[in-house]
Each structure stands twice: as C-alpha cells, then as structure tokens.
Amino acid sequence: MPEKETAWLFLTLRDRNIPLGIKEEKMNEQFYTMITFENLYEAHKKSRSGKREKYEVIQFELNLSENLVQLQKELYNGTYRLSGYRRFEIYDPKPRTIYAMHYRDRIVQHSLCDNVIAPCMERHLIYDNSASRVGKGTHFAMNRLIGFLREYYKKYGNKGWFLKYDVHHYYDSINHQILKQLMRKAFPEEPRIIQLLEHIIDSYSVTQGVGIPLGNQTSSWFASCYLDGLDRLIKERLQIKYYSRYMDDGVLIYRDKEYLKDCLSQMKRYITQERKLEFNEKTQIIPLSQGIDYLGFHFYLTDTGKVIRKLRSSNKGRMKRKLKRFRHAYREGKMDREAIERSLASYRGHLSHGNTWNLRKNLNSHLILSKETEEERKKAYQDLFHKNKPKGESEENL
C-alpha cells in the first residue's frame, strides 16, 4: 500500500505528528476522535454483532482495512453521504415502518453515537430519561416507577393520581429545524459534527422538514433529547418528584388531581409552542387505584404498599400469536429449535421482571413443535385409534 494511503490507518489523536497535514483543532476535537481508525474499527465490530452472516457484512469484511480507510477519508474530506435506507414493515403490535441504514452507514452511526452523542447527552439529560442510554432502558424505567410508588405510599398512602402522556406520531412529527438548533447548542465547538448531524437529519422526512426514521441509533438519541426541555419543565419548574420518561411515554405521580391538570396545561403549551408536537388521546389523568399502564406492564399499588406488576393483556395476546408463528415457522423449516429457544429465553427474561410466575410456567404448554400440521396429527391419532380398537366394538362404546 502506498505511503500516503498507509498514513490514514494511523489517524489517531494519540499521534502528535498526524500525517497529511491534519492538525488537532479544539474546534473539532470530537470529530477527529470519531473518525480515528481505532474507533471506526470498534464501530464495525459493534455493527456486525449478530449479523456476520449477512451479505453486505461479508462483502465489507473482504476488504476491511480498505473500506474503513475509504470511509475515514470521506468523513474527513466532507464527501461522506448516506447510502439511503432499506424499508420494511414490522407488526409489534401495530404496523411500523422501519428504515434501516446500509452497513457502512451503521458503522458511522455507531462511532458518532458512542464517541460523540452519548458522552455529551449523558451530561445533560435528566436521570429518569431512560431510553438509548447504557445501563438504562425499559427495565430500568419500570424499576424506577416501582421505587416511586413505594416511596409515594410511605408519604401519602395509596390514594392519589397519575398523569400518563403519549406524543402523537412522535418520530414522524419531530421538526428538523428545532432538532438542528438543539444539536448546535449541544456541540457549539464542533462544526464538523454539526455538518454530519444535519446531513443525517436531512436524509429523511415525512413532510418537508419534519420526521426522523424509526429504527436507527441516531434517531433514538434525537428522540430522547428532543423532549429534554419538557423533562426540565416537569422536574425543575413544576417540581414533580415522581416522574419517568421512556422516549415519548411519560408518567407523573402526584397527590392532587387539580395540580396535575395545571401541569398538563403547561406541558401542552410547551410541546405545542417549543417542539411543534401534540399529545394523543392516551394522555390523561387517572386515579392510582386503577393502576399505571407503562412499557407493556400494568402496575398496581395495593392497600398494604405492595407494588404488583402484571403483563398487559394485549401483550399476552401478542405473545400467544408469536408462539403460533413459531410453530408454523418450525413446521415449514424456517426456524430451528435453537432459534425458537433463544426467543423463548428472551420472553422469559422479560416476563421475569413482573409478577408472571404462572405465565412463565405455562409458556411451553402453548408451544408444541411438530413437523406435522394439526390436521395431520388428528388423522394420525384416528388411525392409531382404529388400529388398536377391539374387533366388534364401536367407537361410541369406548
């Protein structure tokens, strides 16, 4: 490899004599950190996790060093462009359209999020904003809610109210200009990072200048920080202690219904004027006695202060339908037992976070794997019955 090409392999902030005239500038330090060969290689390893058999991953790894160097060059020269999105539908439980990046773009996305966005946002987001963050997630948010309910009971008993909010078509309603302003505020000394972030933001829209794609790491971070101002309003101005948010779902617990009404009024005003969003019909104030529906579970605060967490009924139905699809996939040879067992282990792990012992115990009884259809099994049983039936004895007498 020519000397000029080799130099790009060692583009790292640890090198004080960086080749090709590249200098460490304070104005773009995080950008240069993101595009080091080491960090791009780490991003590649994370991006390929669980996908090494995919065609585009195999193709990229056939010339790994050259492909990473080319990606590094494009980023440094400012010529990098997204390769578009692959669109597909999922049903979980309602239809959702996912826009997946191509593999080389996922590498850039991983390096950008891990080395730039995450460290910055971790310093600014409130503790109970649980989405997209290392060490947090849905189970963290649910455990925090349980802690809030227990603490609330010690002070006020089990009488009270909660405000549950949900944003209408959240991802599809995020305003590009507002999001760009938030990014410029977060990275005031990183014009190269801002240039890259704005390119990613502008790469997709539902209507002109509105909407981010569902299914990308950058989109998750954008959605997580877009409502940080609402979090600040609730925690700092409205002084709501018991508050949790996961993406666009939030719960506020308070003893006074009238105060929650005032909170909701101020929250509506904020998201309408400052974020160009609106709450949907799921947003309402409900007595604690009815239980809190949050992140797929229903949380009940009993008269004794115990918190019971049960799987939502709609999720039970969805799980049964998924098990039925597993049976069909196994019979048709599309899934093997190991793949199904991995999925079941994931279900058991999720269920273990609630009061679901009976549901976990009966999970296997809902899944009978066979290469035969139900009709074939019935026919085989009838043939066996007739074969072993005593001569002269009718079926009704058995």
Side-chain angles (χ1 to χ4, degrees):
M1 186 181 292
E3 183 179 350
K4 186 176 180 181
E5 295 289 327
T6 308
W8 278 93
L9 294 175
F10 302 99
L11 177 53
T12 167
L13 290 178
R14 291 196 299 270
D15 298 330
R16 292 301 158 186
N17 297 313
I18 298 178
L20 300 180
I22 301 169
K23 298 178 181 178
E24 289 185 66
E25 302 175 24
K26 184 179 179 182
M27 285 297 291
N28 288 295
E29 186 174 351
Q30 288 178 293
F31 175 76
Y32 291 135
T33 299
M34 182 202 114
I35 69 170
T36 61
F37 187 84
E38 295 92 331
N39 283 333
L40 289 176
Y41 180 65
E42 285 300 315
H44 153 68
K45 290 197 293 184
K46 291 179 181 178
S47 298
R48 76 181 179 187
S49 179
K51 301 178 178 67
R52 297 193 71 166
E53 76 285 355
K54 299 290 185 181
Y55 177 77
E56 64 175 343
V57 180
I58 295 172
Q59 287 294 109
F60 193 90
E61 288 195 312
L62 287 176
N63 296 291
L64 180 59
S65 295
E66 291 82 355
N67 286 329
L68 288 178
V69 167
Q70 180 60 34
L71 200 54
Q72 190 182 56
K73 280 184 176 183
E74 292 177 19
L75 287 165
Y76 176 73
N77 293 331
T79 58
Y80 167 77
R81 295 293 180 269
L82 280 172
S83 307
Y85 297 94
R86 289 195 310 275
R87 173 179 171 173
F88 59 92
E89 303 285 333
I90 63 170
Y91 300 87
D92 189 32
K94 60 185 179 182
R96 298 180 187 271
T97 303
I98 302 299
Y99 292 86
M101 287 183 172
H102 291 275
Y103 185 70
R104 73 193 306 267
D105 299 324
R106 292 206 302 271
I107 294 174
V108 174
Q109 178 180 242
H110 256 296
S111 189
L112 174 63
C113 292
D114 296 347
N115 297 296
V116 180
I117 297 179
C120 175
M121 295 304 171
E122 282 295 337
R123 297 194 297 267
H124 296 95
L125 299 179
I126 68 167
Y127 185 73
D128 284 296
N129 177 349
S130 306
S132 305
R133 302 166 72 180
V134 175
K136 299 190 178 181
T138 55
H139 297 147
F140 171 86
M142 291 190 290
N143 290 333
R144 287 288 288 176
L145 182 60
I146 288 176
F148 289 154
L149 288 170
R150 288 171 178 164
E151 188 176 333
Y152 179 91
Y153 179 84
K154 292 177 182 178
K155 292 183 178 181
Y156 310 109
N158 67 339
K159 305 299 181 185
W161 302 82
F162 69 92
L163 166 57
K164 174 76 163 55
Y165 72 79
D166 195 330
V167 178
H168 179 71
H169 292 166
Y170 183 47
Y171 274 71
D172 288 346
S173 303
I174 289 178
N175 184 278
H176 288 189
Q177 288 306 315
I178 295 174
L179 181 58
K180 289 176 184 179
Q181 290 172 9
L182 293 174
M183 294 299 104
R184 294 186 196 112
K185 185 177 179 180
F187 305 102
E189 297 183 343
E190 293 287 337
R192 300 294 300 275
I193 291 294
I194 295 301
Q195 181 184 9
L196 178 58
L197 287 171
E198 291 187 350
H199 170 61
I200 293 172
I201 293 169
D202 289 334
S203 67
Y204 172 90
S205 64
V206 177
T207 58
Q208 185 64 36
V210 177
I212 59 175
L214 189 64
N216 292 314
Q217 192 178 6
T218 45
S219 294
S220 296
W221 275 109
F222 293 155
S224 187
C225 73
Y226 194 74
L227 288 179
D228 182 59
L230 179 64
D231 296 337
R232 300 288 174 182
L233 170 68
I234 293 169
K235 295 292 290 184
E236 296 170 7
R237 189 184 305 174
L238 301 176
Q239 297 287 298
I240 298 294
K241 182 177 182 181
Y242 307 121
Y243 169 63
S244 173
R245 176 168 76 90
Y246 186 89
M247 213 57 79
D248 62 322
D249 291 336
V251 175
L252 298 74
I253 304 172
Y254 199 71
R255 63 187 182 275
D256 183 8
K257 182 180 181 181
E258 293 303 316
Y259 186 70
L260 284 180
K261 287 183 179 178
D262 181 58
C263 291
L264 180 56
S265 176
Q266 294 190 48
M267 291 161 60
K268 284 181 177 178
R269 189 181 311 119
Y270 175 84
I271 69 163
T272 301
Q273 296 177 359
E274 303 295 330
R275 293 294 179 266
K276 310 298 182 186
L277 301 171
E278 59 182 19
F279 293 127
N280 63 22
E281 69 281 356
K282 297 178 184 177
T283 302
Q284 51 189 318
I285 299 171
I286 305 171
L288 270 178
S289 58
Q290 293 187 18
I292 301 174
D293 196 358
Y294 190 47
L295 300 177
F297 282 85
H298 212 80
F299 298 79
Y300 298 93
L301 181 59
T302 67
D303 293 337
T304 60
K306 182 179 179 180
V307 180
I308 298 175
R309 174 167 46 180
K310 293 185 176 181
L311 189 68
R312 197 164 55 190
S313 298
S314 60
N315 283 8
K316 291 180 185 178
R318 192 194 320 172
M319 184 178 296
K320 289 179 180 179
R321 290 192 295 272
K322 192 67 174 283
L323 295 178
K324 186 177 181 179
R325 287 198 292 271
F326 285 163
R327 289 198 297 269
H328 290 306
Y330 179 77
R331 188 173 65 244
E332 295 169 2
K334 296 178 180 178
M335 291 184 73
D336 57 21
R337 284 182 178 272
E338 290 183 0
I340 292 174
E341 187 55 42
R342 285 196 297 270
S343 296
L344 290 179
S346 175
Y347 273 124
R348 293 189 190 100
H350 182 62
L351 292 174
S352 68
H353 290 270
N355 302 93
T356 57
W357 189 85
N358 284 327
L359 189 58
R360 280 179 281 150
K361 183 182 70 172
N362 297 326
L363 190 62
N364 284 335
S365 66
H366 293 287
L367 183 65
I368 300 174
L369 297 178
S370 173
K371 294 294 185 181
E372 299 175 324
T373 64
E374 187 174 350
E375 290 74 16
E376 288 172 338
R377 288 198 302 272
K378 286 181 180 179
K379 186 177 185 303
Y381 173 78
Q382 291 172 353
D383 291 344
L384 182 64
F385 170 79
H386 288 294
K387 181 179 179 181
N388 296 325
K389 183 176 69 173
K391 290 182 179 180
E393 188 165 1
S394 67
E395 190 171 317
E396 288 78 6
N397 293 331
L398 290 178

